[in-house]
Amino acid sequence: MNRLPRRAIGLMYLLPENGKTVPMLQNRSVLAHLPIQDGARLFVATYPLQDPPVSGLFRSTFYGLAWLSGGAATFMCDTQKFAVKAESLVWTVPGQVYWWEQPEPGAHLTLIGFLPELLTGGALNVHLIADLPFLQPDGPAVIPVSGEASEVLDTLFRQIWHRYAQVAQHHPANVWLTLPRQREALMMAYLHGILAEVAALTTDAAPTPLTQAQSADLRLTQLFRTHAAVGARERRPVQYYAELLHVTPGHLTRVVGRIMGKTPSAWLQEQLLLDAKRLLAFTDRPVERIAEDLHFPSATQFSQWFRGQSGQTPRQVRQGSREQTFNFQQF
């Protein structure tokens, strides 16, 4: 069984000063980055939630698609709380802070993680991405599955883990499996199969064929969202992303507005605000340090911007996080 170790691929642990992971808010924490190993851009892991390979809070640097089987558990993600039953899909995106609680006996998780560059580099088909419920604006984080679709997905997750265990290699200095880059295309084929089944869950009829222009717009919007979600704290202007994507700022604004119903600038502000709230809620960093991390000239300017965006002061958000108030959803 490939269990993510204490130096897991692509994770951001939230660790207290003594180096031990702790549950949410029982001890305030500091971020410690754990880089991906040996150029691997995709991994698969499987483990029982009652005996997880790592514990505490995590800040993901990858996209994650997980399949929960064998029992229910509570999934905590940012300020959301999900009661997840067996035979459910769970989706995480880079930057989210999450953890699992109260797993039932037999609750088992199979996790596929991949870096954002697999999306931005065109490895995933734009038509497939367009149909994925997770990648829609305000898409769900948890999807319960039943019937034949559940049997199919359970089989596919077992197959991708089995194949991964065959082709991955033990890291010379550690105990987990790392995927060689030359095997990445093979595992991406398995991932495509799973994503196609996920897309079919919410697609009752055959999808309407996209025109070339529609495909290009969807692809451009997804690329922008991926880059913006990962790099929002850098506070780069829309022009930066336009140049990165080889389009004009005006074209990017029109396309994103048409697909998402909001401008690129508004999306960037939303992502920056979300990141600021995470830093306030899940770390003990002083406001001055957070302002520096988010590239504000001063704590005063950060606080003014934060209140203008959220209607609350940084102190109010931090205090509220200590009260552990979460929006609850049951699946």
Side-chain angles (χ1 to χ4, degrees), residues 6 17 85 94 112 122 187 197 242 249 269 284 312 319 323:
R6 297 290 169 180
E17 299 294 348
K85 297 180 180 179
I112 306 169
M187 298 313 303
E197 291 294 335
Q269 291 295 299
D284 260 340
Q312 294 179 293
Q319 185 62 39
E323 298 171 0

Side-chain angles (χ1 to χ4, degrees), residues 197-212:
E197 291 294 335
V198 174
L201 293 175
T202 55
T203 305
D204 297 329
T208 303
L210 298 176
T211 65
Q212 185 175 359

Side-chain angles (χ1 to χ4, degrees), residues 55-248:
S55 59
L57 307 173
F58 309 99
R59 179 183 171 92
S60 175
T61 59
F62 52 80
Y63 285 95
L65 180 61
W67 175 252
L68 180 66
S69 60
T74 299
F75 177 61
M76 314 289 287
C77 184
D78 289 337
T79 59
Q80 299 291 316
K81 180 178 180 179
F82 304 92
V84 185
K85 297 180 180 179
E87 302 180 348
S88 291
L89 293 160
V90 180
W91 175 257
T92 57
V93 302
Q96 287 181 327
V97 176
Y98 67 90
W99 65 103
W100 290 89
E101 291 184 349
Q102 302 173 329
E104 292 181 351
H108 197 95
L109 197 73
T110 300
L111 170 66
I112 306 169
F114 56 94
L115 291 185
E117 63 192 74
L118 290 183
L119 278 181
T120 59
L124 294 176
N125 183 277
V126 65
H127 297 272
L128 179 59
I129 292 173
D131 290 333
L132 285 175
F134 299 117
L135 294 179
Q136 305 304 315
D138 301 318
V142 178
I143 296 180
V145 187
S146 60
E148 183 178 353
S150 174
E151 296 178 6
V152 171
L153 282 169
D154 190 72
T155 298
L156 289 175
F157 271 89
R158 290 176 185 274
Q159 288 178 341
I160 194 172
W161 160 243
H162 179 72
R163 195 69 178 106
Y164 183 86
Q166 289 178 331
V167 302
Q169 300 174 347
H170 285 284
H171 192 279
N174 298 284
V175 296
W176 72 93
L177 300 177
T178 301
L179 183 68
R181 284 293 289 271
Q182 63 268 28
R183 296 289 192 174
E184 186 177 279
L186 172 64
M187 298 313 303
M188 285 297 295
Y190 280 85
L191 177 58
H192 265 101
I194 290 175
L195 294 180
E197 291 294 335
V198 174
L201 293 175
T202 55
T203 305
D204 297 329
T208 303
L210 298 176
T211 65
Q212 185 175 359
Q214 289 173 327
S215 295
D217 286 354
L218 285 170
R219 177 66 179 158
L220 180 63
T221 301
Q222 184 58 49
L223 287 173
F224 167 73
R225 289 182 61 189
T226 302
H227 285 295
V230 174
R233 66 168 54 186
E234 302 299 326
R235 301 189 66 206
R236 296 186 175 108
V238 173
Q239 183 175 350
Y240 166 83
Y241 294 99
E243 292 176 354
L244 184 68
L245 299 172
H246 306 291
V247 296
T248 66

